[in-house]
DNA sequence: CACGAATATTTCGTATACGAATTATGTTAC
DNA sequence: GTAACATAATTCGTATACGAAATATTCGTG
């Protein structure tokens, strides 16, 4: 095969490591605030689109509906969001952040992204290029199978 | 804050998407072969270092010991690996691939990496650069907290 | 040699994460 | 209008994934 296997393996491992690191960083902050990375992104999405259906939220989180369903339930148990059947379309649910959810998101928002500020030590140009190549890579991967 | 928040958010999402895609591609192949991405990487590591301790395997997989412990147990249940106490150090376990495990890995090895061959449509130069920038990024992330 | 420290693994509780199957509701074609 | 289809959400079973705590073994030091 023509594939430069070594490089591709390296790539897979690089991606594993990077996701692991970002998860770790979020987890550290999350502990103080009792929020997980996913919950923060969910609250962010719900702030932008309030209310959201399960499908819409799952899309924003890039997760399956079944995964998102469980996440919403746990967030409800924590009093961060509510869900109600849509009166106009009873298949649909409306998910909304509670005051507590909004407050918690506002409190931690700056912190979370600031935490990642050291990334800016990397050249802006390089970072832009990284995103471009990653986008190209994503496109190729999406075309597989 | 000086952080270009938008770009960093984009990066986090890009990484989420890329990992998700690679997982999806592995999962498709895995279904036929009854192997998961992690199991393939585990068998690969065990082929290179046979036997491995739990700690060594966890390191190779870049996973915690507790996670790896569960993975090994499930692989044992599937007859892919065995574990035994080390006679010279009874705290340690020796994890080894079975014939079935070795065979299954050999059968699927080429397939798995070939699947990712479309990635080579990207310039070799770009790919090398991607890995370099990602390595730099990883270093920065590891320095956080 | 004994006891505390270090090492190695496992168990537990919790949170992702997915696809398949199920349930409920709405839409469309006839 | 109703049967087939489409849409929306949930449930189930399984596999990651982690940290904290528990257990077992070995080592080091006095």
């Amino acid at each position: 095969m023509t594939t430069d296997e070594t490089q591709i393996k390296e790539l897979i491992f690089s991606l594993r490591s990077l996701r692991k690191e970002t998860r770790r960083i979020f987890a550290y902050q999350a502990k103080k605030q009792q929020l997980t990375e996913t919950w923060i992104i969910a609250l962010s999405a719900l702030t932008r689109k309030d209310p959201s259906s399960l499908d819409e939220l799952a899309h924003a989180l890039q997760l399956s509906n079944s995964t998102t369903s469980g996440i919403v339930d746990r967030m409800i148990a924590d009093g961060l969001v509510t869900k109600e059947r849509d009166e106009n379309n009873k298949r649909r649910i409306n998910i909304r952040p509670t005051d507590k959810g909004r407050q918690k998101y506002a409190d931690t928002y700056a912190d979370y992204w600031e935490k990642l500020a050291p990334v800016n030590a990397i050249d802006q140009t390089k970072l832009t290029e990284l995103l471009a190549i990653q986008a190209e890579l994503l496109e190729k991967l999406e075309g597989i199978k």
Side-chain angles (χ1 to χ4, degrees), chain A:
Chain A
M1 75 178 164
T2 58
T3 306
D4 184 347
E5 217 173 88
T6 311
Q7 206 169 31
I8 293 185
K9 278 193 192 178
E10 228 179 287
L11 183 60
I12 297 290
F13 270 84
S14 174
L15 291 173
R16 271 176 88 102
S17 304
L18 286 170
R19 278 295 298 144
K20 196 181 147 86
E21 274 305 303
T22 55
R23 235 184 298 118
R24 180 187 62 79
I25 292 162
F26 272 103
Y28 179 83
Q29 282 290 94
K31 207 171 175 181
K32 285 192 293 194
Q33 301 288 345
Q34 306 283 93
L35 291 176
T36 69
E37 173 182 353
T38 310
W39 291 14
I40 292 157
I41 297 174
L43 287 173
S44 165
L46 290 173
T47 299
R48 276 196 306 278
K49 179 150 183 25
D50 174 9
S52 294
S53 71
L54 187 79
D55 207 61
E56 285 163 350
L57 184 58
H59 233 255
L61 298 178
Q62 304 181 303
L63 296 174
S64 70
N65 286 14
S66 58
T67 299
T68 308
S69 185
I71 288 163
V72 168
D73 285 349
R74 283 186 291 276
M75 289 180 79
I76 289 169
D78 243 58
L80 299 170
V81 301
T82 58
K83 80 178 169 187
E84 265 174 25
R85 291 258 153 228
D86 188 309
E87 274 314 303
N88 299 325
N89 182 348
K90 287 200 186 115
R91 288 174 302 186
R92 202 185 132 99
I93 58 169
N94 288 321
I95 304 162
R96 320 194 56 167
T98 60
D99 286 344
K100 178 182 170 188
R102 259 187 291 265
Q103 189 56 53
K104 219 157 189 180
Y105 178 60
D107 288 349
T108 60
Y109 180 88
D111 260 16
Y112 275 101
W113 298 110
E114 187 124 26
K115 201 89 193 167
L116 293 168
V119 169
N120 281 341
I122 299 173
D123 268 16
Q124 198 71 11
T125 324
K126 273 198 201 172
L127 221 52
T128 304
E129 202 171 344
L130 177 69
L131 286 171
I133 306 175
Q134 280 182 348
E136 192 182 343
L137 176 60
L138 186 60
E139 202 186 317
K140 294 281 182 294
L141 291 177
E142 281 169 350
I144 292 177
K145 198 194 358 93

